[in-house]
Amino acid sequence: MMDSKKLLKNLIYTVMKKISILIITCLSVFCLNSCLEDEEPTFVIQEELVQGPQIVTANSTVTLNKENESDQAVTIVWEDVDYSLQTPILYTLEAAAGGTGFEEPQTAGVTVDRSFTWTVSELNTLAIKSGLNAQEEGALEIRIISSVGTNGGLEKSSRIIILTLTPYSTEVPKLWLPGDYAEASGYGANWKPSDPLTPTLAAESFTSSKFEGYVYFANDNSNFKITPTTSDDFEGNYGDVNDSGTSGTLLQDAASKNIVVATAGYYKINVDIEALTYTLTKTDWAITGAATPNGWPSDADPIGTADTDLIYNQTTKVWEQTLNMTSNEFKFRANDAWDLNYGGDPASLSEGGDNLSLNEGGNYTVTLDFSTPRVYSFTLVKN
């Protein structure tokens, strides 16, 4: 039989051992809780199990019409991508010309929704930026890239869908004016519509039959015709109906005659291919108004003595002059009269537009530029 001292000693050892285990357990739990509080839990997504966006519906052949630019053209719908956790998913739509392998994709839209719609105008712009040619049927490839969170990550791509469409030109229609005047007037080769320097007229709108532009003729009795394309075969050209070349009436036929400009100068040319009419208005330009040295011209000034005349520069194809100006209003007008004048927006002058204004007086060089049809502008550079 164990004596009482030994029994007591064993009892104390057992109690102390259990207390130690309890203390270690508590410390372990405390450390674990501390670690959980100090560090965010890490979730691991098995990337190979995540599939890209699954496109449900989309058009395949699309008709683009400039007259319906604001209409909806294409809506693409897809299923949500399952990343197996609650996180925002960002969808980026990309576009590329067919057969390019998305070497230089265009961003076609960004959304957190599961559908995206382009208007006719937006899709047409996207097609042109992607490399499709206006007025030619082409293939536009679309894909959707999904990513986790707003900063991206774990990108997955959908299958590629192909839209067959014909983009329309975003430029208004033009007419070309080849003639025997071109070389002498600084416009490139004579009688060559394909020459990039051949003057053009621009339509009033995409569907309008009315065209306008300014052209300089260096010599008297200059001749020209009007062509609807840059083709040097003159197919579909417009000319005058009679030998005089000055009737103001057009004929679209191989038998048409040259249009003749009897007197050299700078002309505003207006053409209506539906009414088959044309006008040639010879112009000399000036700047006038309270900001100019002689102020506004009065009704008793029929010869425009108040105007400051501009000088045409055949090399730069702009009208120019240097003059002292004050902080006030001014306009541009032709032929010492108000029949033809420009004001309004400095970057795109409008015929008969509001007065222009100068904020700070001084000596200025002014240029008036009519070289781009229907996009008329001016500059004022302080000397």
Side-chain angles (χ1 to χ4, degrees):
M1 178 178 292
M2 186 179 298
D3 58 36
S4 58
K5 289 183 177 181
K6 190 173 182 179
L7 181 61
L8 180 60
K9 185 178 180 180
N10 288 339
L11 179 61
I12 293 172
Y13 174 80
T14 301
V15 171
M16 291 301 293
K17 183 176 180 181
K18 289 184 177 182
I19 291 174
S20 298
I21 293 172
L22 179 61
I23 292 173
I24 292 171
T25 302
C26 290
L27 287 173
S28 300
V29 171
F30 176 79
C31 290
L32 179 61
N33 288 337
S34 297
C35 291
L36 290 174
E37 289 175 359
D38 292 341
E39 296 182 11
E40 291 292 334
T42 301
F43 297 95
V44 177
I45 299 175
Q46 291 183 299
E47 188 173 350
E48 66 275 7
L49 298 181
V50 180
Q51 294 183 338
Q54 302 298 302
I55 297 175
V56 178
T57 60
N59 308 51
S60 57
T61 301
V62 185
T63 301
L64 299 178
N65 191 322
K66 187 173 178 62
E67 284 68 42
N68 302 320
E69 284 190 322
S70 60
D71 291 356
Q72 293 185 0
V74 170
T75 296
I76 295 181
V77 180
W78 59 91
E79 295 179 351
D80 251 335
V81 176
D82 184 8
Y83 282 99
S84 303
L85 58 97
Q86 294 298 315
T87 181
I89 301 175
L90 192 68
Y91 296 101
T92 301
L93 291 86
E94 293 184 339
T100 62
F102 283 87
E103 293 178 358
E104 296 181 2
Q106 298 289 324
T107 299
V110 178
T111 182
V112 294
D113 298 325
R114 292 185 296 108
S115 66
F116 195 88
T117 299
W118 293 284
T119 65
V120 170
S121 175
E122 290 168 341
L123 187 59
N124 189 78
T125 299
L126 183 61
I128 296 294
K129 284 185 176 180
S130 298
L132 274 66
N133 296 320
Q135 315 305 331
E136 294 181 14
E137 185 177 272
L140 184 68
E141 296 183 344
I142 303 289
R143 68 183 180 186
I144 305 169
I145 308 295
S146 65
S147 59
V148 175
T150 56
N151 294 325
L154 288 176
E155 292 186 350
K156 290 292 180 179
S157 177
S158 73
R159 65 183 175 89
I160 294 172
I161 63 169
I162 299 175
L163 305 180
T164 301
L165 46 83
T166 302
Y168 54 80
S169 174
T170 55
E171 296 184 1
V172 294
K174 293 181 180 179
L175 296 172
W176 284 259
L177 275 64
D180 64 6
Y181 69 94
E183 290 181 8
S185 306
Y187 293 119
N190 287 343
W191 296 111
K192 197 171 182 62
S194 62
D195 191 308
L197 295 180
T198 296
T200 59
L201 308 179
E204 189 174 41
S205 67
F206 192 80
T207 57
S208 175
S209 64
K210 297 179 179 180
F211 292 75
E212 176 186 295
Y214 283 86
V215 181
Y216 174 67
F217 298 91
N219 300 319
D220 293 344
N221 298 312
S222 295
N223 293 261
F224 72 92
K225 281 197 171 183
I226 302 169
T227 63
T229 71
T230 58
S231 173
D232 290 334
D233 63 10
F234 282 69
E235 183 178 354
N237 78 86
Y238 297 86
D240 202 282
V241 296
N242 62 40
D243 292 332
S244 70
T246 59
S247 71
T249 301
L250 293 173
L251 176 65
Q252 188 181 26
D253 188 89
S256 67
K257 309 302 180 181
N258 293 340
I259 298 171
V260 178
V261 182
T263 305
Y266 195 80
Y267 283 80
K268 180 175 184 281
I269 300 178
N270 290 88
V271 169
D272 189 329
I273 59 175
E274 184 175 313
L276 293 176
T277 59
Y278 72 91
T279 60
L280 307 176
T281 306
K282 188 176 183 296
T283 63
D284 289 287
W285 288 91
I287 184 171
T288 192
T292 63
N294 299 318
W296 291 107
S298 67
D299 293 338
D301 180 21
I303 58 174
T305 55
D307 293 350
T308 301
D309 292 338
L310 305 180
I311 300 171
Y312 182 68
N313 186 320
Q314 183 175 324
T315 302
T316 59
K317 298 180 177 58
V318 299
W319 292 82
E320 56 192 11
Q321 185 59 271
T322 298
L323 70 160
N324 293 320
M325 300 183 69
T326 60
S327 175
N328 220 314
E329 295 185 332
F330 64 96
K331 292 190 84 171
F332 298 98
R333 70 175 191 165
N335 306 332
D336 301 325
W338 289 113
D339 296 341
L340 180 58
N341 69 85
Y342 286 92
D345 185 350
S348 183
L349 294 171
S350 56
E351 188 172 336
D354 295 337
N355 293 345
L356 301 159
S357 61
L358 180 66
N359 294 327
E360 183 180 356
N363 183 262
Y364 285 86
T365 296
V366 57
T367 61
L368 179 62
D369 189 353
F370 293 116
S371 60
T372 302
R374 295 192 182 275
V375 184
Y376 309 137
S377 63
F378 78 95
T379 61
L380 279 173
V381 178
K382 194 173 184 180
N383 299 311

